[in-house]
Amino acid sequence: MFFNLPFIVAALLVILGITTMLIKRNLIKMIMGLALVEAGVNLLLVSIGYRAGGIAPIFTSAPDGVMVMPTVQAMTLTNIVIGIATTALLLSFVMVIYRMYGTANAEKVRKLRG
Amino acid sequence: MNMSKIVRSAANLLFPFILVFGFYIVLHGHLTPGGGFQGGAVIATGFVLMFVAYSYDFITGRIGAESLHTTETIGLVLFIVTALVAIVFGVTFFTNWMLDVGPVLNNPVAFGPNPGDLNTAGFIPVMNLAVGIEVLGALSVIVLYMLSGTKEEI
Amino acid sequence: MKNLVIGATVLILSLGILYAGVGLEFGAPPFTDMDDYFVSHGQEQTGGNNIVTDIVFDFRGFDTLGEATVLFTAVLGAGLAFRKRREDEDYEYE
């Protein structure tokens, strides 16, 4: 029945991430939502490249069989590293904001700015 | 503040094995699953283990953020220079120039499934090493910066 | 009113993304020309057994260059956020 379960799970992850970013007011939780969206996109990319019964695209002592698509795996690798970099940068900024304003609530920070 | 003696002993014991495993993943990146980014992340995990086990003052007295940042810069410069040398041989930027020049890293490959030879693949192992030490420096120094942010007052 | 807008946005986005997710077919990608070329020719053009590493460092080298630059820039930004400030430096945050 659930023949395309990985795509549905990826869609649910993206929806949960966007919902978290919309309804939460804590900056740390908004960054958690962004990380959820990244995880959903990674799962979508890897799922797109899967062929039924495929093996990993590596020829070292490879068994016989069709290989899965390698380009989406390379793009997933790029996505993971960029996700780590942006998440670390955003968390650094949240730490600076917390030290300056004493809170990580987005609305209160905006009110302080006037 | 240092953690307890058990944690510090376990971290000391695990650290060289994590380094060896990470550099194995980096250097065999063109033969087995892995590569520069993954191996660099594994090595950075070992550094973060040491940051957790020891105090911030002890770590910065030994290694310092500047040297880690220099490691990252060396990796990026090695990456770009390896790609730029291709212009010397009359081919375009990012061409695999080691496949045509010299005997190093240039053994012929058996097409199809084969047991694997470390001395193949042109400049891909060099690129793996460059990106590996860049990711090692970058992830370690980000954690060290965030640890320093929790220390000082405003 | 604000909650109503957020709820409507989430509902519409959920329906759209779920419709796209259900419509895809798992296990049989439709367009595979580029990946077939990489799998069948990557080993003789680059010499590496790991096709993913061949793509990351050889076929899509500019992509990796941009990725390394992004990582470097993120580290520079974090270092600027946590730099040590001088005593006489005047900075206003309000």
Side-chain angles (χ1 to χ4, degrees), chain B residues 61-146:
Chain B
R62 291 296 177 90
I63 188 166
E66 288 302 320
S67 59
L68 284 175
H69 204 278
T70 310
T71 308
E72 183 201 2
T73 312
I74 287 172
L76 189 57
V77 168
L78 179 61
F79 184 76
I80 296 176
V81 165
T82 311
L84 267 180
V85 171
I87 296 181
V88 177
F89 297 102
V91 287
T92 51
F93 194 51
F94 268 111
T95 305
N96 199 341
W97 53 274
M98 278 190 190
L99 272 186
D100 306 324
V101 179
V104 183
L105 294 175
N106 201 11
N107 282 358
V109 194
F111 298 125
N114 56 351
D117 182 5
L118 202 58
N119 193 11
T120 55
F123 77 163
I124 289 179
V126 183
M127 291 297 211
N128 268 324
L129 191 62
V131 170
I133 63 177
E134 194 216 339
V135 172
L136 142 75
L139 297 186
S140 306
V141 83
I142 277 185
V143 174
L144 201 57
Y145 279 148
M146 295 175 81

Side-chain angles (χ1 to χ4, degrees), chain A residues 19 22-23 25, chain C residues 1-12:
Chain A
T19 311
L22 281 178
I23 69 175
R25 281 292 157 254
Chain C
M1 183 60 198
K2 194 178 166 189
N3 290 335
L4 198 65
V5 172
I6 289 178
T9 310
V10 167
L11 192 64
I12 294 173

Side-chain angles (χ1 to χ4, degrees), chain C residues 12-74:
Chain C
I12 294 173
L13 273 178
S14 308
L15 287 180
I17 295 174
L18 267 181
Y19 177 74
V22 170
L24 286 170
E25 188 179 0
F26 182 63
F31 304 110
T32 63
D33 295 343
M34 183 173 69
D35 296 271
D36 287 337
Y37 180 81
F38 285 156
V39 167
S40 58
H41 292 81
Q43 210 181 7
E44 62 176 317
Q45 288 188 1
T46 66
N49 277 338
N50 190 345
I51 304 294
V52 178
T53 310
D54 293 346
I55 290 176
V56 166
F57 289 108
D58 198 323
F59 291 112
R60 292 174 71 95
F62 279 99
D63 199 357
T64 310
L65 178 63
E67 176 184 0
T69 312
V70 165
L71 192 59
F72 190 77
T73 315

Side-chain angles (χ1 to χ4, degrees), chain A residues 58-62 77 81 84 88 91-92 95 99-100, chain B residues 31 33 37-38 112-115 139 142 146 149-150 154:
Chain A
I58 295 166
F59 279 102
T60 306
S61 308
L77 192 55
V81 176
I84 286 176
L91 284 175
S92 305
M95 284 175 73
R99 272 200 274 156
M100 292 306 150
Chain B
L31 295 179
F37 292 106
Q38 298 93 325
N114 56 351
L139 297 186
I142 277 185
M146 295 175 81
T150 65
I154 297 187

